[in-house]
Amino acid sequence: MASYIEVEQAAAMSGLRVVLSPGVPGPWSEAAKGILYVKKVPYVKVRQELAGENLPLLRWTAQTTAPVFVFNDERPRSLWIDQLYLAERLAPTPPLIPDAIDDRLLMFGLANELCGENGFGWQRRLMLIHATLTSPKAPEQARKPSEFLGNKYGYAAELADAAPHRVAAILKRLSIQLKNQNSRGSRFLIGSALSALDIYWAAFAALVDPLPDELCKMAPGFRRGYHCTDPIVREALAPELLTHRDFIYHEFLELPLDM
Ligand SMILES: N[C@@H](CCC(=O)N[C@@H](CS)C(=O)NCC(=O)O)C(=O)O
């Protein structure tokens, strides 16, 4: 397992410190790690407690979610888009934000569909919380964090019911993008080189179809939850999207995942 330092220790340091949830392949965290990996930016890993109170983290970063990037005495960055811009500034090469305006606006639009509020990750989280809260078999140690995360991220049963449709719409649009790109002779989701969108998709795909255990060690309960069996979602998940995820992980990202 990766080694982590505590928030109090991290707060006294300089350089780049990245707050993560140990042992969990959270898609925002794995995407952030992927971006830093590709750019070879050095950083230390700082422990967040999933669904915990995280009071020292709250004092340090004014919020309790992971991932967070803190660079020197700059403001903590707890949103994916701020993290991407910081990484791009710290290591401009290879660029992960396309230079051409049309590529850039398409990349940020699709990335927001995956990572942004109410996007793919958000909707899958609502579905996961819903599955636990409505299952009579769910053990108490699963129910408590789900209640906590449900309150934190706006869970309501009717939102969770609508979530598979939103997830499917995003998957379908992403798959159209990939097909268009392939027919233009590109292996990437945007333009003709790796962009942050390829990394976001590779990491967020875990929320429908996690990598096998030998590449991504997960507690069985987490794996069952992440693997999506909803027929509306499965129908929208073109096999090419998973092939693309595998291509990005095998060619560009760290394997096995180190959490
Ligand atoms: N703030 C991030 C999203 C990160 C996020 O939602 N992280 C969740 C992953 S489930 C988290 O850490 N939840 C656990 C907790 O809040 O304790 C962004 O919008 O860029």
Side-chain angles (χ1 to χ4, degrees):
M1 195 184 2
S3 77
Y4 289 83
I5 63 170
E6 301 302 321
V7 165
E8 290 87 342
Q9 197 184 347
M13 295 169 64
S14 58
L16 181 62
R17 289 137 299 160
V18 178
V19 182
L20 301 161
S21 319
V24 182
W28 287 273
S29 293
E30 289 309 310
K33 282 161 64 185
I35 288 166
L36 297 173
Y37 183 81
V38 164
K39 289 177 170 289
K40 301 191 169 63
V41 176
Y43 63 94
V44 292
K45 293 179 175 166
V46 186
R47 180 189 312 281
Q48 183 251 23
E49 192 199 339
L50 186 69
E53 263 198 319
N54 293 293
L55 289 178
L57 183 60
L58 181 64
R59 280 193 289 274
W60 189 34
T61 67
Q63 59 85 58
T64 58
T65 296
V68 194
F69 284 14
V70 190
F71 183 65
N72 290 341
D73 55 2
E74 296 186 13
R75 72 181 198 281
R77 288 166 167 86
S78 53
L79 290 179
W80 63 274
I81 191 166
D82 291 1
Q83 292 161 4
L84 175 59
Y85 275 111
L86 177 64
E88 199 77 352
R89 194 188 94 207
L90 297 180
T93 314
L96 293 177
I97 300 176
D99 206 34
I101 181 145
D102 287 323
D103 285 347
R104 193 165 65 238
L105 64 89
L106 190 53
M107 191 201 82
F108 275 112
L110 290 169
N112 190 54
E113 291 303 311
L114 290 177
C115 317
E117 188 146 340
N118 291 323
F120 175 87
W122 190 282
Q123 301 298 326
R124 280 293 295 135
R125 181 164 56 202
L126 290 178
M127 290 172 72
L128 264 124
I129 292 168
H130 187 66
T132 307
L133 294 183
T134 55
S135 159
K137 288 185 300 197
E140 193 56 22
Q141 81 259 32
R143 189 174 296 275
K144 268 241 138 46
S146 292
E147 278 167 5
F148 176 88
L149 294 175
N151 286 331
K152 187 167 174 180
Y153 297 112
Y155 167 77
E158 57 283 12
L159 293 180
D161 285 339
H165 298 279
R166 300 193 72 144
V167 167
I170 295 167
L171 288 175
K172 284 183 181 161
R173 180 60 187 83
L174 205 61
S175 148
I176 291 172
Q177 180 64 15
L178 185 62
K179 285 198 180 113
N180 289 344
Q181 285 288 103
N182 288 347
S183 66
R184 282 189 206 116
S186 172
R187 298 192 73 183
F188 301 97
L189 279 166
I190 301 285
S192 54
L194 181 75
S195 77
L197 184 64
D198 296 298
I199 299 176
Y200 290 130
W201 166 245
F204 278 71
L207 287 177
V208 281
D209 212 316
L211 287 167
D213 222 43
E214 63 273 17
L215 297 180
C216 175
K217 196 125 201 67
M218 284 170 83
F222 255 100
R223 180 170 289 283
R224 268 195 306 279
Y226 270 38
H227 182 87
C228 184
T229 55
D230 184 283
I232 297 163
V233 173
R234 286 314 310 180
E235 196 263 322
L237 181 64
E240 293 80 9
L241 285 174
L242 293 176
T243 308
H244 187 64
R245 179 273 302 272
D246 293 342
F247 162 60
I248 297 300
Y249 262 110
H250 285 277
E251 294 290 322
F252 300 101
L253 301 177
E254 186 178 26
L255 282 177
L257 272 66
D258 185 19
M259 302 161 300

